[in-house]
Amino acid sequence: GQSLEQPSEVTAVEGAIVQINCTYQTSGFYGLSWYQQHDGGAPTFLSYNALDGLEETGRFSSFLSRSDSYGYLLLQELQMKDSASYFCAGENNAGNMLTFGGGTRLMVKP
Amino acid sequence: DAGVIQSPRHEVTEMGQEVTLRCKPISGHDYLFWYRQTMMRGLELLIYFNNNVPIDDSGMPEDRFSAKMPNASFSTLKIQPSEPRDSAVYFCASSNDVTEAFFGQGTRLTVV
């Protein structure tokens, strides 16, 4: 099975940089995805890493280290609208299952 | 495409009643997932289908829960009989591969 651990809450100020970590213990791990969910909304896809290293998409970047079973989501130039929950999700090596971490609630303050 | 469509958006029912949640995936997607979200347990994968075939239902909490996908454009999640502890937001998601899943807006179920 899969188990993904994230901090429950992170607080940062507008304009700052914040890193949300995710450690995983999985059998047959294949890749790591990140999703954003605003209160009352649905999770929406942000990024995906199958290979080690950094993937950059605008203000958001995601990193994976398979040897350390670790990844993170980096949010730069924080804006108030970035206040949301962020989930890491693991894909197994059959490529057909997605298990979510417990989510990190990010609060951006002025 | 209008995205993944779930109905109803909200459902309030009495304990013991049957509840049916519906999902229309994005056309052309091969995978369909049912998730349940609560504050205590987060996002739990209940079951997923590939090409209309159930692949893994190990997340279904108990026999009161059942899911079907009679064709590529429709799936149901049924709870019979419902209990207060089933109160949650139920999400349906579809994808071509699991690197990017598209979620519906969810059904907020309240069992009283």
Side-chain angles (χ1 to χ4, degrees):
Chain A
Q2 299 192 351
S3 173
L4 299 100
E5 298 292 328
Q6 306 177 233
S8 58
E9 282 190 6
V10 173
T11 301
V13 297
E14 206 171 6
I17 299 172
V18 72
Q19 178 174 312
I20 299 174
N21 299 322
C22 174
T23 57
Y24 60 87
Q25 294 179 344
T26 70
S27 57
F29 175 84
Y30 192 76
L32 194 70
S33 300
W34 288 92
Y35 287 76
Q36 179 191 60
Q37 185 181 29
H38 285 99
D39 285 349
T44 57
F45 174 82
L46 291 176
S47 68
Y48 172 74
N49 296 70
L51 303 176
D52 285 1
L54 194 67
E55 293 282 341
E56 297 183 68
T57 309
R59 294 188 297 114
F60 294 1
S61 303
S62 57
F63 173 83
L64 178 65
S65 169
R66 300 174 72 91
S67 59
D68 295 323
S69 298
Y70 163 75
Y72 65 73
L73 179 70
L74 191 72
L75 297 86
Q76 303 181 72
E77 301 173 17
L78 280 174
Q79 302 175 9
M80 297 298 290
K81 66 178 181 178
D82 297 330
S83 293
S85 292
Y86 293 84
F87 296 86
C88 57
E91 174 193 358
N92 72 355
N93 62 3
N96 59 12
M97 192 174 82
L98 202 59
T99 302
F100 283 78
T104 299
R105 188 172 184 85
L106 171 65
M107 296 178 60
V108 180
K109 297 187 173 181
Chain B
D1 202 312
V4 176
I5 299 173
Q6 292 186 244
S7 64
R9 291 294 309 276
H10 302 273
E11 175 82 25
V12 180
T13 190
E14 290 185 348
M15 182 174 61
Q17 296 298 306
E18 177 180 294
V19 175
T20 299
L21 312 181
R22 297 173 176 80
C23 176
K24 177 177 167 37
I26 293 173
S27 177
H29 280 185
D30 296 330
Y31 291 94
L32 184 139
F33 306 85
W34 282 101
Y35 287 90
R36 177 172 69 176
Q37 187 173 37
T38 61
M39 288 294 292
M40 291 298 294
R41 301 176 68 90
L43 264 169
E44 301 174 274
L45 177 65
L46 300 177
I47 184 172
Y48 76 96
F49 296 82
N50 183 20
N51 292 319
N52 313 338
V53 177
I55 303 300
D56 187 346
D57 65 355
S58 60
M60 297 285 262
E62 47 198 277
D63 291 345
R64 297 184 298 107
F65 286 68
S66 62
K68 294 181 179 179
M69 192 165 186
N71 56 62
S73 59
F74 184 65
S75 177
T76 59
L77 178 68
K78 185 175 294 187
I79 309 172
Q80 167 62 21
S82 58
E83 297 182 2
R85 60 189 168 128
D86 302 331
S87 297
V89 180
Y90 291 81
F91 286 104
C92 173
S94 71
S95 70
N96 275 327
D97 58 59
V98 294
T99 61
E100 181 175 0
F102 294 82
F103 282 74
Q105 288 304 302
T107 295
R108 182 173 295 277
L109 173 65
T110 303
V111 183
V112 298

